[in-house]
Amino acid sequence: MRAIFLIGLALVVSACGSDKPDSSSDNPVVQPPAQANILFIVTDDQSWQHTSLDYPYINTPNIEQLAEAGTYFSKAYVSAPSCTPSRAAILLGKHVWQTESAALLEGAWPAGFNSYQDNLAAAGYYVGFTGKGWGPGAYKPARNNNPAGREFNQLQYSSVPEGIDARDLAANFRQFLDSRPANQPFSFWVGSTEPHRPYGPGDSSRFAGIAPQDFLPPTLPDTPAVRREFSAYLQEIEWFDNDLGKILQLLKDYGLESNTLVVFTSDNGMPFSGAKPQNYEYGVHVPLIIRLPADYSSQQQRIDEVVSLVDITATLYAAAQVTPPEGLVGSSLLALLTAPSQAEPDANRVAYSAYERHGPSARANNATYPRRAVHSERYLYVRNYFIDRWPNGDPPNFTEAYPWLLRDQNGQPIEPYFSLNTEKRPAEELYDIVEDPANLNNLIDDPDYAEVRQQLAEKLLEMQTSTEDPVLEESDYFSQF
């Protein structure tokens, strides 16, 4: 279980100079001969591990084929373990704490904030989306359309399995392509709602004869209910994979494959205890594949360096040859994607994530739970700002911990899983994500890790300071929204 260390001393660290808030200018310029079309594809609630690239109990052949033709990132991190703020960070190329009311589930899109889709449209791109764009949240009255672009959601499947979104993503993408003016570059957002809940009945026979530690993370008990829901989660990813195949085939059919940059990722981790909406590995570590247009001379097959999805935003601007707005915090990945393979990844690359609130009624008075984290090649450092509050919602409901999965048939807590996922947390946490990918063993008070703790705390504070994270001045800042 995560050790509980109630730390009373204030965190005082000095900023170091190795992490700049906007390092896009440090990268070599890598540009194709022509503006690339952009196809951004994002699932809803999928942890990094759950494709057939890494997990043997799921079948995702189209994801595999995309990875074979592109670059697979093994250490990609979202900016928040909740969909609304994570999507806002991607669309804006900013850290979650820079997105005002968009940092909260069911928040509001701030007036005057332009998404990358807005800016590409202003530069001559034809833009749109199908499925789930930015949200859930209110974008009116700040703007008339979703920040992901013009909506294409009219076409639906005639029937779908229980729990599956009826919107036909490929058919809507085809409608978008058919409506595109001739020779105009496009940027399209495909937002699958799989594998988000609710789920249909899961067929847990896929796990027959398999030891639970081989297919379940150690944060979950091995019960019939967990097996069914975990299998249903995997089934929804497999449904999405079928949609992905149809979408990629459309690029071929329309002769657009060679000049379209394709990105596949997810907005946060799986909807299970210990994952969404936590800043732990299963909550913010997501799959990421990028396939470059044919105009690029080379492309790495696998990258093991830490990257953030805010880097995707800078990458899309670079591929479109559109000048990004000021304040972008990510760096274009084009140089990294096309560089000769290196034996060792850059251990200095880090990503940042943040959290404020997922369920608006999880805590009394709609209180937030401000949390910031830095993710390195080997370690995760987490800063919790209110150790007296419940991180997963007030008892007895613990609404953000998926508590029904942590109780037996009589409604009694299954230990140690229930306490592990609901207990209060210390001010600081530190995990070795290689040895402990489920983040169970808090190393924060281990003297052997004192230097790692200090280095990561400094990196986090430096980034917060340079990008003016409002919680540094007022810890409860986001409770006003």
Side-chain angles (χ1 to χ4, degrees):
M1 293 178 59
R2 299 184 184 94
I4 301 298
F5 300 103
L6 300 181
I7 300 173
L9 296 177
L11 177 64
V12 180
V13 295
S14 59
C16 60
S18 59
D19 256 7
K20 288 179 283 188
D22 181 3
S23 58
S24 58
S25 62
D26 296 340
N27 286 339
V29 176
V30 179
Q31 293 181 338
Q35 286 183 311
N37 300 312
I38 292 168
L39 180 60
F40 180 83
I41 306 169
V42 57
T43 59
D44 202 353
D45 296 1
Q46 182 180 359
S47 295
W48 88 99
Q49 191 178 42
H50 300 126
T51 72
S52 49
L53 293 166
D54 291 311
Y55 188 76
Y57 313 112
I58 191 172
N59 184 30
T60 57
N62 294 299
I63 292 176
E64 285 191 63
Q65 289 178 18
L66 184 63
E68 289 171 0
T71 301
Y72 171 67
F73 290 80
S74 66
K75 295 175 180 170
Y77 291 88
V78 294
S79 296
S82 174
C83 57
T84 303
S86 174
R87 290 164 184 254
I90 295 167
L91 285 161
L92 293 169
K94 293 181 178 292
H95 295 305
V96 167
W97 59 76
Q98 298 176 291
T99 66
E100 295 291 331
S101 50
L104 302 178
L105 184 77
E106 300 179 1
W109 187 267
F113 280 46
N114 288 337
S115 69
Y116 80 78
Q117 289 285 70
D118 295 329
N119 293 329
L120 293 188
Y125 270 71
Y126 186 59
V127 305
F129 82 97
T130 187
K132 180 177 178 179
W134 174 78
Y139 56 81
K140 296 180 178 180
R143 52 186 298 132
N144 293 322
N145 64 315
N146 192 289
R150 176 185 168 190
E151 185 172 1
F152 287 80
N153 273 325
Q154 292 183 336
L155 304 179
Q156 298 191 356
Y157 288 109
S158 58
S159 65
V160 293
E162 182 181 349
I164 296 294
D165 189 341
R167 288 176 289 192
D168 188 334
L169 302 180
N172 286 307
F173 180 40
R174 179 189 292 274
Q175 187 180 66
F176 167 82
L177 292 175
D178 287 341
S179 68
R180 179 177 64 117
N183 302 318
Q184 185 174 4
F186 72 83
S187 178
F188 195 68
W189 171 295
V190 176
S192 174
T193 57
E194 323 309 342
H196 195 287
R197 296 175 183 275
Y199 294 150
D203 180 8
S204 57
S205 62
R206 74 172 75 213
F207 304 133
I210 303 169
Q213 64 268 23
D214 290 338
F215 67 87
L216 282 178
T219 51
L220 294 174
D222 180 26
T223 67
V226 168
R227 284 182 173 234
R228 285 194 301 270
E229 293 207 9
F230 205 75
S231 181
Y233 157 75
L234 298 176
Q235 285 172 317
E236 293 210 355
I237 296 173
E238 290 170 336
W239 176 275
F240 158 76
D241 185 79
N242 185 57
D243 277 343
L244 175 64
K246 296 176 183 177
I247 290 165
L248 296 178
Q249 183 61 46
L250 282 174
L251 289 180
K252 293 182 180 180
D253 293 345
Y254 279 71
L256 296 168
E257 183 180 43
S258 65
N259 194 36
T260 299
L261 184 147
V262 179
V263 178
F264 158 66
T265 189
S266 190
D267 60 0
N268 53 250
M270 62 182 185
F272 287 87
S273 306
K276 175 189 177 181
Q278 313 304 317
N279 293 76
Y280 301 131
E281 282 287 286
Y282 280 99
V284 292
H285 189 174
V286 295
L288 174 62
I289 299 169
I290 298 177
R291 189 180 72 189
L292 293 175
D295 287 336
Y296 290 89
S297 58
S298 63
Q299 181 170 350
Q300 294 199 66
Q301 289 299 111
R302 178 186 176 100
I303 291 177
D304 293 320
E305 297 186 18
V306 172
V307 297
S308 168
L309 290 202
V310 296
D311 295 325
I312 299 301
T313 320
T315 306
L316 300 186
Y317 280 115
Q321 300 184 33
V322 172
T323 302
E326 292 185 4
L328 219 64
V329 297
S331 301
S332 170
L333 299 175
L334 292 185
L336 183 62
L337 281 160
T338 57
S341 297
Q342 298 178 0
E344 296 294 334
D346 181 358
N348 293 320
R349 290 185 69 101
V350 297
Y352 301 90
S353 68
Y355 177 78
E356 288 293 333
R357 186 179 67 214
H358 189 68
S361 59
R363 281 163 288 276
N365 302 316
N366 290 334
T368 57
Y369 190 84
R371 188 167 60 225
R372 303 291 184 265
V374 57
H375 309 266
S376 75
E377 179 188 14
R378 181 79 191 235
Y379 299 101
L380 162 64
Y381 172 83
V382 182
R383 176 79 167 90
N384 299 302
Y385 283 84
F386 286 99
I387 61 175
D388 59 323
R389 296 180 185 174
W390 295 94
N392 273 315
D394 290 344
N397 296 324
F398 300 107
T399 56
E400 295 179 348
Y402 303 90
W404 69 91
L405 294 173
L406 306 173
R407 298 181 186 273
D408 62 22
Q409 293 180 341
N410 299 316
Q412 297 302 307
I414 303 173
E415 296 293 1
Y417 304 97
F418 189 87
S419 295
L420 171 68
N421 286 290
T422 60
E423 64 192 8
K424 290 183 179 179
R425 298 174 186 169
E428 295 175 277
E429 301 172 74
L430 178 67
Y431 302 98
D432 182 332
I433 62 174
V434 175
E435 297 296 329
D436 177 24
N439 309 147
L440 303 178
N441 182 27
N442 189 0
L443 303 170
I444 200 67
D445 280 351
D446 189 328
D448 291 341
Y449 296 89
E451 184 177 356
V452 173
R453 170 187 181 178
Q454 180 180 358
Q455 289 175 346
L456 293 181
E458 287 177 353
K459 280 182 177 290
L460 178 60
L461 183 58
E462 180 194 17
M463 182 56 74
Q464 289 179 273
T465 302
S466 63
T467 55
E468 300 180 342
D469 186 347
V471 300
L472 294 178
E473 298 293 330
E474 183 184 348
S475 297
D476 238 350
Y477 176 83
F478 285 93
S479 63
Q480 66 181 294
F481 299 119

